Amino acid sequence: MKILLVNPNTTASMTATAAHAARLVAAHGTEVVAVTSSMGPVSIEGYYDEALAIPGLLMEIAAGERSGAQAAIISCFDDTGLDAARALANIPVIGICEAALAAASFIAQRITIVTTMERSRLPLEHLVHRYGMAGRTKVRAADIPVLSLEEPSSNARARLCQQMEMALRDDRAEAIVLGCAGMADLTADLRKEFGVPVIDGVAAAVKQAECLISLGLTTSKIGAYAPPIPKPYLGALASFAPEAMLA
Amino acid sequence: MKILLVNPNTTASMTATAAHAARLVAAHGTEVVAVTSSMGPVSIEGYYDEALAIPGLLMEIAAGERSGAQAAIISCFDDTGLDAARALANIPVIGICEAALAAASFIAQRITIVTTMERSRLPLEHLVHRYGMAGRTKVRAADIPVLSLEEPSSNARARLCQQMEMALRDDRAEAIVLGCAGMADLTADLRKEFGVPVIDGVAAAVKQAECLISLGLTTSKIGAYAPPIPKPYLGALASFAPEAMLA
Amino acid sequence: MKILLVNPNTTASMTATAAHAARLVAAHGTEVVAVTSSMGPVSIEGYYDEALAIPGLLMEIAAGERSGAQAAIISCFDDTGLDAARALANIPVIGICEAALAAASFIAQRITIVTTMERSRLPLEHLVHRYGMAGRTKVRAADIPVLSLEEPSSNARARLCQQMEMALRDDRAEAIVLGCAGMADLTADLRKEFGVPVIDGVAAAVKQAECLISLGLTTSKIGAYAPPIPKPYLGALASFAPEAMLA
Amino acid sequence: MKILLVNPNTTASMTATAAHAARLVAAHGTEVVAVTSSMGPVSIEGYYDEALAIPGLLMEIAAGERSGAQAAIISCFDDTGLDAARALANIPVIGICEAALAAASFIAQRITIVTTMERSRLPLEHLVHRYGMAGRTKVRAADIPVLSLEEPSSNARARLCQQMEMALRDDRAEAIVLGCAGMADLTADLRKEFGVPVIDGVAAAVKQAECLISLGLTTSKIGAYAPPIPKPYLGALASFAPEAMLA
Amino acid sequence: MKILLVNPNTTASMTATAAHAARLVAAHGTEVVAVTSSMGPVSIEGYYDEALAIPGLLMEIAAGERSGAQAAIISCFDDTGLDAARALANIPVIGICEAALAAASFIAQRITIVTTMERSRLPLEHLVHRYGMAGRTKVRAADIPVLSLEEPSSNARARLCQQMEMALRDDRAEAIVLGCAGMADLTADLRKEFGVPVIDGVAAAVKQAECLISLGLTTSKIGAYAPPIPKPYLGALASFAPEAMLA
Amino acid sequence: MKILLVNPNTTASMTATAAHAARLVAAHGTEVVAVTSSMGPVSIEGYYDEALAIPGLLMEIAAGERSGAQAAIISCFDDTGLDAARALANIPVIGICEAALAAASFIAQRITIVTTMERSRLPLEHLVHRYGMAGRTKVRAADIPVLSLEEPSSNARARLCQQMEMALRDDRAEAIVLGCAGMADLTADLRKEFGVPVIDGVAAAVKQAECLISLGLTTSKIGAYAPPIPKPYLGALASFAPEAMLA
């Protein structure tokens, strides 16, 4: 199997972190092709960054499908551009937030997501609601800038742990979901430290991608995800016209 | 007052239709500045078009704010890029779907939106849910391509009327919301024909914009809509870096 | 335009406070006719007062419509008798709670209402739910008797501020709605003090009334708000028979 | 036990119908005191009638409590004035809609209410929602004016049966609730004819009243139903001032 | 009337406690037949115990119906096996949790259940949701093993009182529901101590059973509760084959 | 990997059908151990059968875990005994309904489940609600007895197809979930015939089991699924005492 992992921000070191987490759980015979978006923000922190990360993401997904990928993963916890990607691609597309929540739903009734920044809480709460998990999932923010996760000197890990403690004590959380692709390499460590299930969305998405490929399932094209209608796209985005992207 | 009306698709004739509807209801002394996005799809039909229409929209909103607009209206019924625009702009930003539903909520308990294409139903149902109107609002599609609304020879109006009849009979609708900016010029006519409130989002949004300006209210910047954090944007979208856009 | 503002309690000084707030935001050319109910409680604090305030309110709305008002505002934050008034009147009728929440919905995702008395919290929570804002709105009570808002010596303002602080810190509120018509004159001051959007329902309702009048919209009469059926009314309330009220 | 049954409309023959149904199921030793409101509409059909029926209802409930009633029933299916009555009275107060739904909830998963007039559907749907039954309850209207239920020549019964048939076939209803106090005398007959549980709210409310009295339970007075605060009531409603009513 | 009270755990002393509470409120002429399950766990603490208590419960309900009981009560607060019992029996079956919540719904808007063990909170929250009370009901656990309620030396009562205090102060509870059949004998005492309505499900269920019997209502057999289809049951549970149980 | 597939009904031929579907999608190196419950109903059709199938299921899950299974699948679409099994087992336990819905959620917005019998619709609707899919999932019944799926002469397939057609036309379904383990062998055929995603829960559950094993995730034991407390179990179910089962 060949799975495309797209980091929709433009920071290659975050792609490497996610790719590493992805390859750790990939089945024997699964190839994970990890790519970094070539246009847009260096990190996605809030609605504005998210919107501007979508064109670059879509470009990589279209290219990946042309190159033979059988499924695509969007490696940012706000599931950047998921609906547009599903409408565009013929291969299944998976967000790491939805994959993490799906995995959590099989092993715990109450879940807490710990994400990076306060401004990401409301967007994630909307995702949680959309995925039908609002009655059992809380979202917490550790007040960590996304890129600080890569700096060993930052106290990002300590803040994350503090929120996990509060989740277990105050939210009655039975499992923790790490709310940023950049946290993927902390998973094993945090499981050991806290003794509860800790879920990373990148790894979960790789397994969901393998699952859908094995089951022969791909996005239904008869409703909300019908293929884009061919039409002119003007100006700087002309190259995104559906017939060009799908060619 | 100076209100910016942005058509997020790139078809100038649709901008003209919306601008006409906007100016019909604008208060004496309100200037409506109507602009057409310069990049992206010629019409917005589904998730993919919507995502690619956002950069052009954001460009116009930033430019409009710099030119002194006191509020901005997004003139497409899927409220394209509303969250990103609110995070970016300091002036209030209003979607025509939310404005139409707010107006409807004051005059009817049960509402039906009649939109253009089947593929837009699910995105609009998500908007309806987000705006807290899911318990009282149905969405119907008349199976009309957006740009056909501008062709007199099409049977777009007939199909729209057919869905309105079904809404009144089968949905117990007490008011009808027209689910596309391109339908704005049919409002008066359809009210007369059906004898029920018919609401166009463009007109409703102009009045909401005046309302917010008069009340001295603008988007709260302390939570989900905190201003984008300055950071590099790479590649073809480098000019969208927050510090450039907000300059 | 001529807008009727009805204070459904019988305290004229509260009418004056609301009328002042209304006229501050009314458009040039809008006349605000403010009236005080002539029967019922001197303040509305809970379900019992509310029910007994409705007949006086309805009397004023019917009289106002006969005198040429084009829209009516119910100037009490529990939106006293809103459904009955909408069924009775041909002009649109607006509650100050719903108007405040509609305005807030355009500028903030999370909202806290600060009202007067604990016993009003549950009725307001029901309103919030009805208006589709339950997922994003909290209600707090400052433990202030309604009429104490008019006494400079009371510590009403201090208690209100205390709840606003807690709303911003604990509820993640992005905007504050003042939950009593009697608080209208504090709006500007509190905005300055807290640096966040503070919304008064009286002012918001005036702008919504202008909005509906401009759009040519009034209450739909084909469903829940069909006109009352002519029939005898007996005893002390005989004069409320629909044919008499609508005459 | 002594149970007060208040008909909040002013038609004595409807009181008699309800009283008969009540006494058929009352326990040995339970006295049902049935009274007709002395002021307001002769029938309650929609929001306006409902609001004007409340003062007369409250008068009777206060009088009944003074005369030793241990519980009160509001004998109109829109549960007229229920919240105000609960705040006023020290004895428990029961609406026939809520009592019917409570009984139905113990014997069926899916329920359909068949009421009289189309304009009552939305108010009843709001009640159903409030009582937590929205996920399992449908409301149908048989298009019958309330008082026509008393005219043998009307085709009210035929229309009611037609809606019951549709409920069983199309709504997957497992039990039927009769949505008007005036239908109480049809219950036994309809059960026999349709072979499914048919529930009349008047009878159900009598048993709930006995239940609460036996359990020694009455309305909690520490929250939403705290007693009205003594204060002046002006004009034609001066006699409703709390201290007068509770005296 | 003859009402069957089944304790689905196998501890006879708990049956005695519940039977005592039941007989205290039973109407003159109502016989309460209390039985203890003969197979399964000695107390029900969590999902596993609950599942294994169902066969013994069903056996007693079938036997009770054959012996002439007109209604059955399941005397454990997780409403053990309620759906299976309703499908099996022709007589109405009532859970003590649903009965307690129904009673509470008539006298309070906000309710807190205080149950025994933390692990029972989530199952009870699911019940509360199913019964349509999720918007107004909280569940607290006092961290008391079920059988310790019978030991005078335990501090079970003190822990229960502590949670009741928190419920009144922090949950805005207006009434308290005791979340275990073993707490039934504390009801009168706690009412006096706290001065708020305190509801025991066993007593409430007895009155609901009388209510349904008086109204001539029993479980609808046309939908979810259609009688089990005759078919072989194998192995140790062969005697539970529907035709054997219903014989 | 070693995955246990338990058929909770006692019909070995249905186990064979499910085992075949499971092995078709199992990864290279995954062993599927399929077992048939040794006690209880020969098919599960409604609440009563379901309750009596649980002890046999739990026995097999405990035995499977002792024999080294790393995950367990409950191969009946009502997710029989899922909560009890999760509390009992240390290995993850997956229901085929939840697995099918999780897979569907990644590839379609609107889903229809087609199950066997009318009486199973409400139980499945409760499951759909619990899994957070109620807003996007419909349940249909084809009126097929479970065991007739195994008889080539029955018209079971024709009835199933008829419901699938209605789902696509009337429910706006974008994907179909087969609502019975006995339908597993029809999946490939129906996909080809209808040209839309058709999902079988058995296959989906196998992939989810592999996913959880690969991710090193198992049921959280700190909340609702805490291990059963050791205690005596009496009578015919004495062997189910937790300490015996977990030994």
Side-chain angles (χ1 to χ4, degrees):
Chain A
M1 294 185 196
K2 188 171 172 181
I3 295 173
L4 175 72
L5 178 90
V6 184
N7 173 10
N9 77 31
T10 51
T11 299
S13 53
M14 280 195 68
T15 314
T17 299
H20 180 69
R23 286 170 189 138
L24 276 180
V25 300
H28 187 77
T30 294
E31 178 192 3
V32 174
V33 179
V35 299
T36 309
S37 172
S38 65
M39 53 175 128
V42 295
S43 62
I44 299 181
E45 296 166 316
Y47 290 121
Y48 181 80
D49 291 341
E50 182 186 351
L52 273 311
I54 297 178
L57 167 87
L58 295 172
M59 206 55 106
E60 296 302 335
I61 285 182
E65 183 173 344
R66 279 192 302 266
S67 302
Q70 291 158 281
I73 292 169
I74 300 170
S75 183
C76 177
F77 205 80
D78 60 4
D79 289 358
T80 321
L82 180 58
D83 285 321
R86 279 193 180 140
L88 175 67
N90 292 300
I91 56 176
V93 183
I94 294 166
I96 65 172
C97 174
E98 61 172 351
L101 289 173
S105 75
F106 289 102
I107 58 161
Q109 289 204 8
R110 293 187 64 85
I111 299 146
T112 291
I113 297 169
V114 185
T115 190
T116 50
M117 301 189 72
E118 184 62 29
R119 69 175 62 202
S120 295
R121 271 174 92 177
L122 275 162
L124 290 188
E125 286 171 357
H126 288 296
L127 279 190
V128 163
H129 189 89
R130 171 179 166 174
Y131 299 146
M133 302 287 281
R136 57 200 276 208
T137 307
K138 284 246 160 75
V139 181
R140 290 179 168 275
D143 200 14
I144 313 170
V146 168
L147 295 181
S148 80
L149 285 164
E150 311 215 313
E151 300 161 21
S153 62
S154 82
N155 61 351
R157 195 185 181 286
R159 289 189 178 185
L160 185 55
C161 289
Q162 193 182 14
Q163 292 298 321
M164 282 183 63
E165 275 162 34
M166 292 164 70
L168 295 173
R169 193 186 61 217
D170 299 340
D171 306 347
R172 300 157 55 204
E174 299 170 357
I176 302 291
V177 168
L178 299 179
C180 178
M183 298 172 180
D185 50 1
L186 301 172
T187 316
D189 228 40
L190 293 170
R191 278 189 199 173
K192 212 172 298 171
E193 184 167 339
F194 285 90
V196 296
V198 176
I199 298 167
D200 155 47
V202 175
V206 169
K207 303 314 288 182
Q208 288 297 346
E210 291 175 352
C211 165
L212 294 176
I213 296 170
S214 291
L215 295 174
L217 289 172
T218 187
T219 305
S220 179
K221 288 290 171 179
I222 60 173
Y225 299 127
I229 297 170
K231 67 180 65 165
Y233 272 53
L234 303 192
L237 295 171
S239 59
F240 284 90
E243 50 274 52
M245 286 289 274
L246 294 166
Chain B
M1 294 186 198
K2 188 171 173 181
I3 295 174
L4 175 72
L5 178 90
V6 184
N7 174 11
N9 77 29
T10 51
T11 299
S13 52
M14 280 195 67
T15 315
T17 300
H20 179 70
R23 287 173 187 134
L24 276 180
V25 300
H28 188 76
T30 295
E31 178 191 3
V32 174
V33 178
V35 298
T36 309
S37 172
S38 65
M39 53 175 129
V42 295
S43 62
I44 300 180
E45 295 167 316
Y47 290 122
Y48 181 81
D49 292 340
E50 183 186 349
L52 272 311
I54 296 179
L57 167 88
L58 295 172
M59 205 56 105
E60 296 302 336
I61 285 182
E65 182 173 343
R66 281 194 299 266
S67 302
Q70 292 158 280
I73 293 168
I74 299 170
S75 183
C76 178
F77 204 80
D78 60 4
D79 290 358
T80 321
L82 181 59
D83 285 322
R86 279 195 180 138
L88 175 67
N90 293 300
I91 56 175
V93 183
I94 294 164
I96 66 173
C97 174
E98 62 173 350
L101 288 173
S105 77
F106 289 103
I107 58 161
Q109 289 204 10
R110 292 187 65 84
I111 298 147
T112 291
I113 297 171
V114 184
T115 191
T116 50
M117 300 189 74
E118 184 62 28
R119 67 176 62 201
S120 296
R121 271 174 91 176
L122 275 161
L124 292 189
E125 286 171 357
H126 288 297
L127 280 190
V128 163
H129 189 88
R130 172 180 167 175
Y131 299 145
M133 302 288 282
R136 56 199 278 206
T137 307
K138 284 246 162 76
V139 181
R140 291 179 168 273
D143 200 14
I144 313 171
V146 169
L147 295 182
S148 80
L149 285 164
E150 309 215 314
E151 299 161 22
S153 62
S154 81
N155 61 353
R157 195 185 181 287
R159 290 189 177 185
L160 184 55
C161 288
Q162 194 182 13
Q163 291 298 319
M164 284 183 63
E165 274 161 33
M166 291 164 70
L168 296 173
R169 192 186 61 217
D170 299 339
D171 305 347
R172 299 158 54 204
E174 299 169 358
I176 301 292
V177 168
L178 299 178
C180 179
M183 297 171 179
D185 51 0
L186 301 172
T187 316
D189 229 39
L190 292 170
R191 277 188 200 174
K192 211 172 299 171
E193 184 168 339
F194 285 89
V196 296
V198 175
I199 298 168
D200 155 49
V202 175
V206 170
K207 303 314 290 182
Q208 288 297 346
E210 291 175 350
C211 165
L212 293 176
I213 296 170
S214 291
L215 295 173
L217 290 171
T218 187
T219 305
S220 179
K221 287 291 169 178
I222 59 173
Y225 298 128
I229 297 170
K231 68 180 65 165
Y233 271 53
L234 303 191
L237 294 172
S239 59
F240 284 90
E243 52 274 53
M245 286 290 272
L246 293 167
Chain C
M1 296 186 197
K2 188 171 173 180
I3 295 174
L4 176 72
L5 179 89
V6 184
N7 174 11
N9 77 31
T10 51
T11 298
S13 54
M14 279 194 69
T15 315
T17 299
H20 180 70
R23 287 173 187 134
L24 276 180
V25 299
H28 187 76
T30 295
E31 178 192 2
V32 174
V33 179
V35 299
T36 309
S37 172
S38 65
M39 52 174 129
V42 294
S43 62
I44 300 181
E45 295 167 316
Y47 289 121
Y48 181 81
D49 291 341
E50 182 186 352
L52 273 311
I54 297 178
L57 167 87
L58 295 172
M59 205 57 106
E60 295 303 336
I61 285 182
E65 182 173 345
R66 280 193 300 266
S67 302
Q70 292 158 280
I73 293 168
I74 300 170
S75 183
C76 178
F77 204 79
D78 60 4
D79 289 358
T80 321
L82 180 59
D83 284 322
R86 278 194 180 140
L88 176 67
N90 292 301
I91 56 176
V93 182
I94 294 164
I96 65 172
C97 174
E98 62 173 350
L101 288 173
S105 76
F106 289 102
I107 58 161
Q109 289 204 10
R110 292 187 64 85
I111 299 147
T112 292
I113 297 170
V114 185
T115 191
T116 50
M117 301 189 74
E118 184 62 28
R119 68 176 62 204
S120 296
R121 269 174 94 177
L122 274 161
L124 291 189
E125 286 171 358
H126 288 297
L127 280 190
V128 163
H129 189 88
R130 172 182 166 171
Y131 298 146
M133 301 287 283
R136 57 199 278 205
T137 308
K138 284 245 162 76
V139 182
R140 290 180 168 274
D143 200 14
I144 313 171
V146 169
L147 295 181
S148 80
L149 285 165
E150 310 216 313
E151 298 162 22
S153 64
S154 81
N155 61 353
R157 195 184 180 289
R159 290 188 176 187
L160 184 55
C161 289
Q162 194 182 14
Q163 291 298 319
M164 284 183 63
E165 275 161 32
M166 292 163 71
L168 295 172
R169 193 186 61 217
D170 299 340
D171 305 347
R172 299 157 55 205
E174 300 170 356
I176 302 291
V177 168
L178 299 179
C180 178
M183 297 172 179
D185 51 1
L186 301 172
T187 316
D189 229 39
L190 293 170
R191 277 187 199 175
K192 211 172 298 172
E193 184 167 339
F194 285 89
V196 296
V198 176
I199 299 168
D200 155 48
V202 175
V206 169
K207 302 314 289 182
Q208 288 296 346
E210 291 175 350
C211 165
L212 293 177
I213 296 171
S214 291
L215 295 174
L217 289 172
T218 187
T219 305
S220 179
K221 287 291 169 179
I222 61 173
Y225 299 128
I229 297 170
K231 68 180 66 166
Y233 271 54
L234 303 192
L237 294 172
S239 60
F240 283 90
E243 51 275 52
M245 286 290 272
L246 293 167
Chain D
M1 294 186 196
K2 187 171 172 180
I3 295 173
L4 175 72
L5 177 90
V6 184
N7 174 10
N9 77 30
T10 51
T11 298
S13 53
M14 281 194 68
T15 315
T17 300
H20 179 69
R23 286 171 189 138
L24 276 180
V25 299
H28 187 76
T30 295
E31 178 192 1
V32 174
V33 178
V35 299
T36 309
S37 172
S38 65
M39 52 175 128
V42 294
S43 62
I44 300 181
E45 295 167 317
Y47 289 121
Y48 181 80
D49 291 341
E50 182 186 350
L52 273 311
I54 297 179
L57 167 88
L58 294 172
M59 206 56 105
E60 295 303 334
I61 285 182
E65 182 173 343
R66 280 193 301 267
S67 303
Q70 292 159 281
I73 293 168
I74 300 170
S75 183
C76 177
F77 205 80
D78 60 4
D79 289 358
T80 322
L82 180 59
D83 284 322
R86 279 193 180 140
L88 175 67
N90 292 300
I91 56 176
V93 182
I94 294 165
I96 65 172
C97 174
E98 62 173 350
L101 288 173
S105 76
F106 288 103
I107 58 162
Q109 288 205 11
R110 293 187 65 84
I111 299 147
T112 291
I113 297 170
V114 185
T115 191
T116 50
M117 301 189 74
E118 184 62 28
R119 68 176 61 202
S120 295
R121 271 174 92 176
L122 274 161
L124 291 188
E125 285 171 358
H126 288 296
L127 280 190
V128 163
H129 188 90
R130 172 179 166 175
Y131 298 146
M133 302 287 281
R136 56 200 279 208
T137 307
K138 284 245 161 77
V139 181
R140 290 180 169 274
D143 200 14
I144 313 171
V146 169
L147 295 182
S148 81
L149 285 164
E150 310 215 313
E151 298 161 24
S153 62
S154 81
N155 61 351
R157 194 185 182 286
R159 289 188 178 186
L160 184 54
C161 289
Q162 193 182 14
Q163 291 298 320
M164 284 182 63
E165 275 161 33
M166 291 164 71
L168 296 173
R169 193 186 60 216
D170 300 339
D171 306 347
R172 300 158 54 205
E174 299 170 356
I176 302 291
V177 168
L178 299 178
C180 178
M183 297 172 181
D185 51 0
L186 301 173
T187 316
D189 228 39
L190 293 170
R191 278 188 199 173
K192 211 172 299 170
E193 184 167 339
F194 285 88
V196 296
V198 176
I199 298 167
D200 154 49
V202 175
V206 169
K207 303 313 289 182
Q208 288 297 345
E210 291 174 352
C211 165
L212 294 176
I213 296 170
S214 291
L215 295 174
L217 289 172
T218 187
T219 305
S220 179
K221 287 290 170 179
I222 61 172
Y225 298 127
I229 296 170
K231 68 180 65 166
Y233 272 52
L234 303 192
L237 295 171
S239 60
F240 283 91
E243 51 274 54
M245 286 289 273
L246 293 166
Chain E
M1 294 185 197
K2 188 170 173 181
I3 296 173
L4 175 73
L5 178 89
V6 184
N7 174 11
N9 76 30
T10 52
T11 298
S13 53
M14 280 195 69
T15 315
T17 300
H20 180 69
R23 286 172 189 137
L24 276 179
V25 300
H28 187 75
T30 295
E31 179 191 1
V32 174
V33 178
V35 299
T36 309
S37 172
S38 65
M39 53 175 127
V42 294
S43 63
I44 300 180
E45 296 167 316
Y47 290 121
Y48 181 80
D49 291 341
E50 182 186 350
L52 273 311
I54 297 178
L57 167 87
L58 295 172
M59 206 56 105
E60 296 302 336
I61 285 181
E65 182 172 343
R66 281 192 299 268
S67 302
Q70 292 158 280
I73 293 169
I74 300 170
S75 183
C76 178
F77 204 79
D78 60 4
D79 289 358
T80 322
L82 180 58
D83 285 321
R86 278 194 180 140
L88 175 67
N90 292 300
I91 56 175
V93 182
I94 293 164
I96 65 172
C97 174
E98 61 172 350
L101 288 173
S105 76
F106 289 102
I107 58 162
Q109 288 206 9
R110 292 188 65 85
I111 298 148
T112 292
I113 297 171
V114 185
T115 191
T116 51
M117 300 189 74
E118 184 63 27
R119 68 176 61 202
S120 296
R121 270 174 92 178
L122 275 162
L124 291 188
E125 286 171 358
H126 287 297
L127 280 190
V128 163
H129 189 89
R130 173 180 165 174
Y131 299 146
M133 301 287 282
R136 57 200 277 206
T137 307
K138 284 247 162 75
V139 181
R140 290 179 169 275
D143 201 14
I144 314 170
V146 168
L147 295 182
S148 80
L149 285 164
E150 309 215 313
E151 299 161 23
S153 63
S154 82
N155 60 353
R157 195 185 180 287
R159 288 187 178 186
L160 184 56
C161 288
Q162 193 182 15
Q163 292 298 321
M164 283 182 62
E165 275 161 32
M166 291 164 71
L168 295 173
R169 191 186 62 217
D170 299 339
D171 307 346
R172 300 157 55 204
E174 299 170 357
I176 302 291
V177 168
L178 299 178
C180 179
M183 298 172 179
D185 50 0
L186 301 171
T187 316
D189 229 39
L190 293 170
R191 277 188 201 174
K192 212 173 296 170
E193 184 167 338
F194 285 89
V196 297
V198 176
I199 298 167
D200 155 49
V202 176
V206 169
K207 303 314 289 182
Q208 288 297 344
E210 291 175 351
C211 164
L212 293 176
I213 296 171
S214 292
L215 295 174
L217 289 172
T218 186
T219 305
S220 179
K221 287 290 170 179
I222 60 173
Y225 298 128
I229 297 170
K231 67 180 65 166
Y233 272 53
L234 304 192
L237 295 171
S239 60
F240 284 91
E243 51 275 51
M245 286 289 274
L246 293 166
Chain F
M1 295 184 196
K2 187 171 172 180
I3 295 173
L4 175 72
L5 178 89
V6 184
N7 174 11
N9 77 30
T10 52
T11 298
S13 53
M14 279 194 69
T15 315
T17 300
H20 180 69
R23 286 171 189 136
L24 276 180
V25 300
H28 187 76
T30 294
E31 179 192 1
V32 174
V33 178
V35 299
T36 308
S37 173
S38 66
M39 53 175 128
V42 294
S43 62
I44 299 181
E45 296 166 317
Y47 290 121
Y48 181 80
D49 291 341
E50 182 187 351
L52 272 312
I54 296 178
L57 167 87
L58 295 173
M59 205 57 104
E60 296 302 335
I61 284 182
E65 182 173 344
R66 280 192 300 267
S67 303
Q70 292 159 279
I73 293 169
I74 300 170
S75 183
C76 177
F77 205 80
D78 60 4
D79 288 359
T80 321
L82 181 58
D83 285 321
R86 280 193 179 140
L88 175 66
N90 292 301
I91 56 175
V93 183
I94 294 165
I96 65 172
C97 174
E98 61 172 352
L101 288 173
S105 76
F106 289 103
I107 58 160
Q109 289 205 9
R110 294 187 64 84
I111 299 147
T112 292
I113 297 170
V114 184
T115 191
T116 50
M117 300 189 72
E118 184 62 27
R119 68 176 62 203
S120 295
R121 271 174 92 178
L122 274 161
L124 291 188
E125 286 171 357
H126 288 297
L127 279 190
V128 163
H129 189 89
R130 171 180 165 174
Y131 299 145
M133 302 287 282
R136 56 199 277 207
T137 308
K138 285 245 160 75
V139 181
R140 291 179 168 274
D143 201 14
I144 313 170
V146 169
L147 296 182
S148 80
L149 286 165
E150 311 214 313
E151 298 161 22
S153 63
S154 82
N155 60 353
R157 195 185 181 288
R159 289 189 177 185
L160 184 55
C161 288
Q162 192 182 16
Q163 291 298 320
M164 282 183 64
E165 275 161 32
M166 290 164 70
L168 295 173
R169 193 186 59 217
D170 299 340
D171 305 347
R172 300 158 54 205
E174 298 170 357
I176 301 291
V177 168
L178 299 179
C180 179
M183 298 172 180
D185 50 1
L186 302 171
T187 316
D189 229 39
L190 292 170
R191 277 189 200 173
K192 211 173 299 170
E193 184 168 338
F194 284 89
V196 297
V198 176
I199 299 167
D200 155 48
V202 175
V206 170
K207 303 314 288 182
Q208 288 297 345
E210 290 175 352
C211 165
L212 295 176
I213 296 170
S214 292
L215 295 174
L217 290 172
T218 186
T219 305
S220 179
K221 287 291 170 179
I222 60 173
Y225 299 128
I229 298 170
K231 67 180 65 166
Y233 272 53
L234 303 192
L237 295 171
S239 60
F240 284 90
E243 50 275 52
M245 287 289 273
L246 293 166

